[in-house]
Amino acid sequence: MAAKIMKAVQYEGYGGGAAGLKHTEIPIPSPKKDEVLLKLEATSVNPIDWKVQNGMLRPFLPPRFPFVPGVDVTGEVTEAGPEVANFKEGDKVIAMLGLPNSGGLAEFAVAPTNMTVSRPAELSPAEGAGLPTAALIALQALRTAGTSKFDGTGKSSNILITAASGGVGHYAVQLAKLAGLHVTATCGVRNVEFVKQLGADEVLDYKTPQGASLTSPSGKKYDAVIHCASGIPWSTFEPNLSAYGTVIDISPSFKTMVAALYKKVTLSKKKLVTLVLAPNVEDMKFVVESAKEGRLRTCVDSIHGLSKAEAAWAKSISGHATGKIIVEM
């Protein structure tokens, strides 16, 4: 019997950007014993998607060509593997497909149950698809900075969040305020009011002299920095940090990793830490529950149909998204 076919978007080699994406039809995958098959409703485009395409993790990723990208998805369960007990046909879910397999830019995808959670009715498919990678990075970065409570009862501290209007940054601002932190944030001038509405106490236009130097308007030193931008040297961070301040870099370069190691081996009081996302379902449940309760919201930059996936890809590459970029099926 012929395999059932679905529409998908893939690339056939490294490089090419948005122009390298190709529309095709491929067989609908089958779930393994601990997976569910989802009829996808939406996926979000994350920088890691096109960075892998550019060869950032070459030769390890992608595992093969052609490759269907997309990690964060929402959808409806249409089939469950034989060992799946907690999901059934018809369930609406949010899932993180994860590398190396991905597969979100398609009409169907298989998702591991250990990174799949129910999607509350309070969240639209687009809002749910925005959460997994970006919100988990924001959450884990704040924990790395020493924040453990997100109910306002923890120890107060001063924190700087760079690129605060982006996918990770806009979640980081909200989570930091849930934790009761004083937040200074950087963004472009067009997003200053947006970031203030997220709860930031002080907002700097990164193109101004004060924004470029990362100096707090109130003169505060930062106990931690959630660094979501790029191209800012340690020499800019260092004078703005408190005595034991820490910079958490969410997208480190080789140069950053060397600098972080140097800080560690020299026992520097001021630290540079590189963050690698550690996906886990408990963190997924936390951010989804926070979103359900209205304490954490996904700000959607734009929504594109699968037939216009190139536009979503190009928007992410541009680095000027406000919140999350979504592709709906």
Side-chain angles (χ1 to χ4, degrees):
M1 188 172 73
K4 294 182 178 179
I5 300 297
M6 66 178 180
K7 294 178 181 178
V9 176
Q10 62 187 24
Y11 54 86
E12 298 175 347
Y14 291 111
L21 299 181
K22 306 297 180 185
H23 293 266
T24 188
E25 292 187 346
I26 59 176
I28 295 175
S30 298
K32 296 178 181 177
K33 60 183 180 180
D34 56 352
E35 295 178 332
V36 288
L37 175 65
L38 305 180
K39 186 179 190 303
L40 297 185
E41 297 171 294
T43 187
S44 62
V45 178
N46 293 297
I48 188 63
D49 296 320
W50 51 264
K51 288 180 180 180
V52 168
Q53 182 198 29
N54 285 348
M56 183 184 77
L57 297 176
R58 185 176 187 171
F60 305 104
L61 294 174
R64 70 193 71 82
F65 292 114
F67 181 70
V68 179
V71 170
D72 302 337
V73 301
T74 53
E76 180 178 320
V77 176
T78 61
E79 184 182 348
E83 294 186 7
V84 175
N86 50 340
F87 296 104
K88 65 183 185 304
E89 184 178 348
D91 286 350
K92 300 282 189 174
V93 299
I94 300 169
M96 189 172 185
L97 306 182
L99 296 169
N101 295 319
S102 297
L105 282 180
E107 292 180 307
F108 291 83
V110 289
T113 54
N114 65 354
M115 282 304 294
T116 300
V117 300
S118 296
R119 175 171 68 84
E122 290 86 351
L123 300 183
S124 70
E127 291 170 330
L131 284 167
T133 295
L136 263 62
I137 289 174
L139 177 65
Q140 293 179 12
L142 284 161
R143 286 181 177 155
T144 301
T147 300
S148 58
K149 296 182 178 181
F150 295 88
D151 57 4
T153 64
K155 179 182 178 182
S156 181
S157 62
N158 300 317
I159 192 166
L160 169 67
I161 300 170
T162 62
S165 60
V168 174
H170 90 288
Y171 287 128
V173 171
Q174 295 175 78
L175 289 167
K177 292 310 299 179
L178 290 178
L181 309 184
H182 181 278
V183 176
T184 302
T186 70
C187 63
V189 63
R190 69 184 178 90
N191 285 320
V192 167
E193 288 305 315
F194 166 71
V195 174
K196 286 181 179 178
Q197 290 171 10
L198 293 175
D201 300 284
E202 303 174 330
V203 184
L204 300 169
D205 171 4
Y206 74 93
K207 288 187 176 180
T208 65
Q210 187 177 35
S213 67
L214 303 180
T215 306
S216 165
S218 59
K220 297 181 184 298
K221 296 295 184 179
Y222 308 122
D223 301 303
V225 177
I226 309 301
H227 184 31
C228 307
S230 60
I232 302 176
W234 173 259
S235 59
T236 301
F237 288 119
E238 199 276 338
N240 293 297
L241 297 176
S242 62
Y244 291 89
T246 301
V247 176
I248 298 98
D249 194 329
I250 71 163
S251 55
S253 63
F254 177 76
K255 184 177 180 180
T256 305
M257 290 187 281
V258 172
L261 180 62
Y262 177 77
K263 292 291 177 185
K264 185 175 183 178
V265 298
T266 57
L267 303 179
S268 172
K269 291 180 180 179
K270 298 181 180 182
K271 295 179 173 59
L272 174 60
V273 177
T274 57
L275 181 74
V276 177
L277 176 63
N280 69 82
V281 75
E282 292 306 316
D283 283 355
M284 277 270 284
K285 289 177 179 177
F286 175 80
V287 297
V288 170
E289 185 65 19
S290 297
K292 174 186 175 182
E293 295 171 353
R295 302 191 306 139
L296 182 68
R297 65 187 177 100
T298 297
C299 301
V300 176
D301 173 273
S302 53
I303 296 177
H304 310 261
L306 185 61
S307 64
K308 303 293 184 182
E310 298 92 337
W313 206 257
K315 184 64 179 289
S316 182
I317 291 173
S318 77
H320 296 301
T322 301
K324 296 293 297 180
I325 301 165
I326 304 297
V327 175
E328 288 188 339
M329 311 313 163

